[in-house]
């Protein structure tokens, strides 16, 4: 390997599943989030600076070293941002993204909506299932899923997870037993690194660097580190005024490069996901389907649309676990009762009985609007008649929308143009109209 000049006394030869040696002499720094800011601490000089101020509720972060980009999630806005330009990378269909991980080799971002993290070649995640808290692993395309650790003792809230690429181990913290554990990638060789320490009284996130494990702690509001094998030499790296969330050590040794570089899409038309055995799988973004060559994605608009109280999903008809469109969820959805679509304009329409609105959006998640019934009527405002709109149907031929409504006085079936104009009641004096379908071809 190489020799590094002071003060960058870091030198690593790392072999990982892609059979590579990495030699690097860059100064490391810690980045961490404390909900409203992302801060950076120089590990050698101990100085800290604010990288990103003015955030709302930032929990998870990760970086792409080669692109010099930092990614973070915002659970108020449910978005994922990269640092370089502050543009939103993934804006739609995230339900409280708490875990986030960048695949620096293939250039993909992974996130989990509850808790989880991953490493190169292998995706690792934690599951807080009350009866069976566990850590699972799969290839980065989701193949070969298996449980590698089952929590049987006093643990049960595996909170943070990280990979020790040098030792080929995973390291995690458990917020119930307030402990740090380490095990091989297959779950063998389990070690309890540290437990019951003052600065480990409610750990939230964990990372590694060199011979040390770093974590954030909510009860003491600290960032601390200790020896990664013995848990000895617990040292406070920084105290914070507010609860610290995720942390990362920004250094090339934390993103070792493979010999086989997948430059972006590789042989795939869209997403390339690394598998075990140096193979890869191609995957497709929403509204596209993988063709039989297993490489090319083609646009396709056939999916099963369904509504649950606080969610609208469109799933692949053959594989109902595969989300075909982004999911619409809170805060746009409150209590949805009915959903229909207009294939001509690629829109879905739904009725929300709690907010008493009908809304529509494009199936790609953009262009969400509240359906208003007074838009182009001759100046006078027409009451929208939306209470208890349990029935809704799009007439795709005449371009009208029908819906049912009832309250103490008016119980009726309404109609308007799809743009909201010319609202009228077609049938009145009903009792409790509920469901509605149309057959426009028969008039
Ligand atoms: C990113 O990776 C490419 C290919 O290995 C390399 O040529 C380039 O210098 C790297 N860029 C940075 C900023 O490290
Ligand atoms: C603890 O840290 C000190 C100073 O960094 C070092 O000299 C000592 O060897 C460390 N002890 C252990 C057990 O790692
Ligand atoms: C990896 O390769 C081995 C031997 O070639 C094979 O048995 C195994 O199924 C492969 N694993 C995957 C996930 O393809
Ligand atoms: C949602 O709407 C259904 C049907 O009107 C109603 O029974 C239920 O109480 C509502 N739930 C909430 C949380 O408003
Ligand atoms: C979403 O779909 C609409 C209608 O097909 C289209 O006009 C719009 O450009 C799309 N937006 C994005 C971001 O793809």
């Amino acid at each position: 390997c190489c020799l590094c000049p002071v003060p960058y006394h870091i030198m690593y030869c790392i072999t990982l599943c892609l059979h590579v040696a990495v030699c690097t002499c860059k100064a490391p720094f810690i980045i961490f989030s404390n909900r409203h800011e992302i801060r950076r601490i120089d590990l050698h000089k101990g100085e800290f600076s604010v990288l990103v101020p003015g955030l709302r509720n930032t929990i998870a972060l990760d970086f792409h070293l080669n692109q010099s980009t930092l990614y973070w999630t915002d659970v108020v806005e449910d978005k994922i941002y990269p640092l370089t330009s502050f543009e939103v990378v993934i804006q739609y269909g995230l339900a409280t993204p708490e875990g986030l991980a960048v695949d620096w080799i293939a250039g993909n971002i992974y996130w989990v909506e509850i808790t989880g993290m991953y490493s190169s070649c292998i995706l690792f995640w934690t599951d807080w299932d009350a009866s069976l808290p566990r850590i699972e692993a799969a290839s980065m395309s989701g193949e070969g899923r298996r449980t590698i650790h089952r929590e049987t003792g006093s643990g049960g809230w595996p909170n943070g997870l990280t990979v020790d690429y040098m030792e080929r181990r995973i390291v995690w913290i458990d917020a119930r037993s307030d402990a740090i554990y380490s095990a091989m990638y297959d779950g063998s060789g389990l070690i309890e690194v540290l437990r019951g320490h003052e600065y480990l009284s409610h750990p939230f996130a964990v990372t590694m660097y060199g011979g040390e494990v770093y974590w954030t702690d909510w009860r003491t509001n600290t960032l601390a580190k200790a020896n990664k094998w013995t848990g000895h030499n617990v040292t406070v790296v920084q105290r914070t005024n507010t609860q610290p969330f995720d942390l990362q050590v920004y250094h090339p040794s934390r993103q070792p490069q493979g010999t086989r570089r997948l430059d972006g899409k590789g042989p795939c038309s869209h997403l390339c996901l690394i598998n075990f055995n140096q193979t890869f799988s191609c995957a497709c973004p929403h509204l596209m389907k993988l063709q039989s060559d297993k490489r090319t994605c083609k646009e396709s608009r056939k999916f099963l649309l369904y509504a649950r109280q606080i969610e609208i999903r469109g799933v692949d008809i053959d594989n109902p676990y595969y989300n075909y469109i982004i999911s619409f969820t809170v805060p746009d959805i409150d209590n949805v009762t009915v959903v229909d679509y207009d294939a001509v304009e690629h829109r879905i329409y739904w009725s929300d009985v709690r907010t008493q609105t009908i809304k529509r959006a494009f199936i790609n998640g953009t262009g969400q609007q509240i359906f208003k019934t007074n838009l182009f009527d001759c100046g006078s405002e027409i009451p929208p008649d939306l209470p208890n709109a349990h029935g809704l149907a799009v007439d795709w031929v005449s371009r009208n929308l029908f819906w049912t409504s009832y309250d103490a006085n008016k119980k009726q079936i309404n109609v308007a143009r799809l743009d909201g104009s010319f609202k009228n009641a077609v049938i009145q004096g009903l009792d409790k109209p509920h469901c509605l379908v149309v057959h426009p071809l028969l008039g």
Side-chain angles (χ1 to χ4, degrees):
C1 230
C2 56
L3 286 174
C4 299
V6 268
Y8 303 140
H9 55 115
I10 314 301
M11 189 192 79
Y12 288 126
C13 284
I14 305 160
T15 312
L16 72 157
C17 51
L18 295 174
H19 311 297
V20 222
V22 179
C23 185
T24 167
C25 305
K26 282 201 181 162
F29 52 86
I30 300 184
I31 22 185
F32 75 98
S33 53
N34 70 355
R35 202 186 281 272
H36 303 300
E37 280 174 354
I38 297 174
R39 292 185 177 188
R40 166 190 154 135
I41 307 172
D42 186 307
L43 261 181
H44 290 303
K45 300 189 192 117
E47 296 161 355
F48 92 88
S49 53
V50 175
L51 272 181
V52 189
L55 299 172
R56 293 172 66 184
N57 194 2
T58 291
I59 300 229
L61 54 87
D62 200 357
F63 61 91
H64 192 300
L65 192 103
N66 189 279
Q67 293 173 354
S68 300
T69 305
L70 186 65
Y71 293 86
W72 69 88
T73 63
D74 186 317
V75 300
V76 173
E77 298 184 56
D78 287 342
K79 292 172 184 171
I80 293 176
Y81 293 90
L83 174 64
T84 40
S85 57
F86 277 73
E87 75 189 275
V88 177
V89 219
I90 298 168
Q91 172 162 13
Y92 303 101
L94 294 180
T96 314
E98 287 188 357
L100 177 72
V102 171
D103 168 5
W104 59 93
I105 301 213
N108 299 324
I109 308 179
Y110 291 73
W111 69 91
V112 285
E113 294 183 353
I114 303 297
T115 282
M117 279 294 144
Y118 86 116
S119 105
S120 173
C121 291
I122 314 178
L123 189 58
F124 294 106
W125 68 95
T126 63
D127 194 318
W128 286 21
D129 179 349
S131 60
L132 187 64
R134 61 190 182 272
I135 298 173
E136 292 193 62
S139 84
M140 300 211 7
S141 62
E143 287 172 18
R145 181 173 162 185
R146 61 204 184 272
T147 297
I148 55 171
H149 174 76
R150 279 191 178 81
E151 200 54 66
T152 46
S154 55
W157 297 339
N159 220 2
L161 184 61
T162 191
V163 177
D164 185 342
Y165 303 103
M166 274 185 288
E167 309 291 349
R168 302 176 64 82
R169 298 180 75 89
I170 51 167
V171 173
W172 70 96
I173 47 176
D174 191 292
R176 189 166 192 183
S177 58
D178 296 325
I180 300 176
Y181 300 96
S182 155
M184 304 291 290
Y185 286 170
D186 62 2
S188 63
L190 178 71
I191 302 174
E192 186 184 281
V193 177
L194 182 64
R195 179 176 187 150
H197 191 280
E198 178 191 356
Y199 291 117
L200 189 68
S201 42
H202 191 83
F204 182 79
V206 67
T207 191
M208 304 277 318
Y209 176 68
E212 278 158 332
V213 52
Y214 290 74
W215 69 92
T216 54
D217 186 78
W218 274 13
R219 201 150 294 152
T220 56
N221 287 353
T222 47
L223 272 66
K225 65 172 184 180
N227 181 287
K228 73 177 178 188
W229 296 109
T230 61
H232 289 162
N233 267 11
V234 177
T235 312
V236 172
V237 179
Q238 172 146 103
R239 289 174 193 280
T240 58
N241 298 329
T242 52
Q243 280 178 337
F245 287 80
D246 207 0
L247 89 167
Q248 294 283 347
V249 174
Y250 191 96
H251 186 266
S253 67
R254 295 298 300 154
Q255 293 197 342
Q257 296 292 327
T259 40
R260 270 165 44 103
R261 287 197 61 80
L262 280 167
D263 280 327
K265 301 182 289 194
C268 303
S269 70
H270 288 78
L271 279 170
C272 184
L273 306 176
I274 303 173
N275 264 331
F276 305 123
N277 294 0
Q278 308 208 18
T279 61
F280 61 86
S281 304
C282 300
C284 300
H286 287 137
L287 296 171
M288 297 194 112
K289 193 155 186 157
L290 196 61
Q291 302 301 293
S292 51
D293 66 0
K294 303 261 181 251
R295 304 252 166 124
T296 323
C297 302
K298 266 221 177 109
E299 226 169 293
S300 147
R301 294 208 168 91
K302 187 178 103 183
F303 55 90
L304 177 70
L305 187 66
Y306 70 93
R308 300 197 302 181
Q309 192 177 358
I310 55 156
E311 188 175 56
I312 296 173
R313 280 186 188 254
V315 297
D316 190 5
I317 293 174
D318 306 318
N319 175 9
Y321 293 103
Y322 181 75
N323 280 328
Y324 205 73
I325 61 169
I326 68 111
S327 320
F328 293 83
T329 181
V330 278
D332 302 319
I333 307 282
D334 206 332
N335 194 351
V336 191
T337 46
V338 60
V339 59
D340 201 1
Y341 66 92
D342 169 26
V344 177
E345 292 180 356
H346 310 302
R347 278 185 161 119
I348 62 171
Y349 287 78
W350 68 91
S351 159
D352 194 318
V353 290
R354 177 119 64 150
T355 54
Q356 302 207 344
T357 49
I358 289 175
K359 289 186 185 170
R360 66 178 187 182
F362 290 118
I363 54 176
N364 62 17
T366 67
Q368 195 177 125
Q369 291 173 329
I370 293 179
F371 182 79
K372 295 208 176 89
T373 50
N374 56 352
L375 273 183
F376 303 104
D377 284 315
C378 323
S380 61
E381 196 158 301
I382 306 273
D385 282 329
L386 287 166
N388 292 301
H390 289 282
L392 174 90
V394 173
D395 169 358
W396 60 95
V397 177
S398 327
R399 325 280 317 138
N400 291 327
L401 182 73
F402 290 83
W403 70 97
T404 61
S405 67
Y406 64 82
D407 58 16
N409 307 316
K410 283 205 258 177
K411 306 160 200 298
Q412 58 192 30
I413 296 176
N414 310 279
V415 65
R417 305 287 297 160
L418 285 179
D419 63 15
S421 59
F422 303 115
K423 191 225 153 231
N424 209 340
V426 259
I427 299 177
Q428 288 170 311
L430 297 170
D431 203 11
K432 251 194 176 186
H434 211 88
C435 297
L436 183 69
V437 285
V438 292
H439 192 332
L441 299 183
L442 295 182

